[in-house]
Structures are given as structure tokens and as C-alpha cells.
Amino acid sequence: MTGLAIERTDGPFGAVVRGLDLREAPDGALAEQLREAWLEHQVLVFPDQELDLEQLEAVAEAFGPIGEDPFFRPIPGQPHVVALTREADETTPLFADVWHSDWSFLPTPPAGTLLYGVDIPPVGGDTLYADQHGAYESLPPDLRERIEGLVGIHSAQRGYAKQGLYGDRDEGRSMAIVASDDALATQPHPLVRTHPETGRKALYVSLAYTIGIEGLDDDAANALVFELIAHAARPEHVHRHRWAPGTVALWDNRCLLHCATGGYEGHRRELHRLTIAERPTT
Ligand code: OGA
Ligand code: MN
């Protein structure tokens, strides 16, 4: 392939991929090369693309089976693609503006998430990413010891239960979120996980979804979650992604936290989203 360039961003991680027209989904050796780059850089950004929904789905499929997306109603006729929307005059609480890893309340959360910029405000609406390999490796030794063997309890309930932030009281949201009692379920995951493809350890705790820690009472668990998130989201671990229409970003949920940001009142924002499941192990 001529013209392909994968360049690291200035931040602690992330790379920009140029010289590819994703209207033709990568396959074969190119798909493998991109996966290697994804595992190395954690976030891949593909600027200046022009993709319809089918083409976007084909790009996601190049990185693995498409993941399930509970609590979202997909774009009609496009069962795997969700529109993240916020209207210019919308006043609902911002979507996803707390540190999290996508769908960590599932038994096998999605390996990755792919977003495509459609309607991007002139200011604000950046997505922040935080490197959880770096966060784990830089933990103060006493804190690292304290979390050894601990298991977080993850749940979607704060957001997606009927009583949750996006539940019954959430009126006027343009995004098609479907709250349900399914969100009350809980799922354990160790606070330190091993990346299944690279073998590297990562902190795995979320302000949105880690609602407890096995063996700790609520106060102790919340205090520890806050302490860990404060460390996990320190500036040296964070990369700020600025969107443009036509930008595709693909991130690794197994070693990154992310969160949405606001600052674009009076402007519309829309991105298209798919998740990518773990590759089946054979
Ligand atoms: C997501 C998400 C952040 C954003 O799609 O999972 O967290 O900036 N999005 O929209
Ligand atoms: Mn998310």
C-alpha cells in the first residue's frame, strides 16, 4: 500500500493514520498492520474520511466482530450503528462525560469502540482518553499493593436504570437511549486486568460503572474508586482528541478510559458509533 503513514500524536499515546480511503474497508495484511498499530497506540485516528453507514460498519468489521450495544436504539435500518446526538438547544445532562470504559458491566465488554464525526461543533465536544497501562505502572507502590486481588463490581444502573441519569426523569434527550431494569445487573471484574492481546496490565475501574468493590463497604469502595480515578486521569495519562467532520477514531477499551466533554452550547454534535467485540479465541 503506497502512501500509508502512521504517525504518533504528541500526547502520551495515540496515532494518526493517513493515506487510506476507508470507503474500501481494510482487509488481509493491511487489516493486520492496522490492528498491530491499534494495539501499540491504543487510539487510531483516521482523518478526512467520507463514509456512509455501510462503509463505517465494514471498517468496524475489519477490526473484529461487531459488538452488542445495550440501552441504545440504533439508527433505523442500521442495527449496529448508533447516532450520538446533541441538538444545539439541548439542555439534558451531557452524555458520557465521566471516566469510563465502554460497557464494562458486560461479562465480556467490547474490545474497542469506533466513532465517526458527522456534525462537529466549532468549539468543545472533545473526547478525552486516559492510558490505563500507564496509570497502573505509575501507581504508588502502597496503592498498588492495596488493590492487589481486588474485584470491582460493575453495573449500568447509575446511567441506564429507570431511576438512572438517562432513565425516566431524562426528558428532551435527542439520543435514543432505552433505560431498562436490565441495568440493575452487576458484573465483577478485577481492578487490574491483563490485556488479552498484548499481555500488559491495566487499571480497570470506572467512575460511571464501578459501583462497588467486593469485600469493601460502600464508603470504602467509593473512596478507593475516587482515589484510583484521580490517579488514572492525571494529565500525564490523558490525550485530548479534537474532532472534525469525517474523522474516524478507534480506541481500545481494555487499556483506556475515556470521557466526553461539553463546551459547545448552542451547537449541534453528531457522531456515529459502533463497538467491536473481542475476537473469539480459538
Ligand atoms: C462513547 C462515548 C464520548 C464522546 O461513544 O462511548 O463515550 O465524546 N463517547 O462522545
Ligand atoms: Mn463511552
Side-chain angles (χ1 to χ4, degrees), residues 84 95-96 100 102 113 115 126-127 251 258 260 269 271 273:
L84 297 187
F95 175 71
H100 66 283
D102 284 335
T113 304
L115 282 189
D126 298 348
T127 304
W251 70 83
H258 63 278
R269 183 178 190 258
L271 300 101
R273 179 187 191 277

Side-chain angles (χ1 to χ4, degrees), residues 104-105 147 149-158 184-192 204-226 228-229:
S104 67
F105 49 83
I147 65 168
L150 289 183
V151 174
I153 302 164
H154 294 243
S155 167
Q157 59 192 245
R158 288 177 183 160
L184 300 174
T186 59
Q187 177 65 45
H189 290 294
L191 292 186
V192 179
Y204 196 62
V205 63
S206 157
L207 209 47
Y209 300 133
T210 312
I211 62 158
I213 295 175
E214 285 181 4
L216 300 189
D217 66 32
D218 283 352
D219 286 350
N222 285 332
L224 184 51
V225 168
F226 278 112
L228 289 170
I229 292 288

Side-chain angles (χ1 to χ4, degrees), residues 49 115-120 243-249 270-272:
Q49 303 296 325
L115 282 189
Y116 175 64
V118 177
D119 200 357
I120 302 301
W243 289 97
T247 297
V248 173
E270 176 170 352
L271 300 101
H272 291 166

Side-chain angles (χ1 to χ4, degrees), residues 150-171:
L150 289 183
V151 174
I153 302 164
H154 294 243
S155 167
Q157 59 192 245
R158 288 177 183 160
Y160 298 99
K162 298 241 167 77
Q163 308 295 321
L165 186 63
Y166 311 127
D168 291 344
R169 70 183 136 116
D170 189 37
E171 278 174 24

Side-chain angles (χ1 to χ4, degrees), residues 139 143-150 191-192 203 224 228:
L139 278 175
L143 184 52
R144 192 190 293 205
E145 232 161 77
R146 270 167 57 213
I147 65 168
E148 167 108 36
L150 289 183
L191 292 186
V192 179
L203 203 54
L224 184 51
L228 289 170

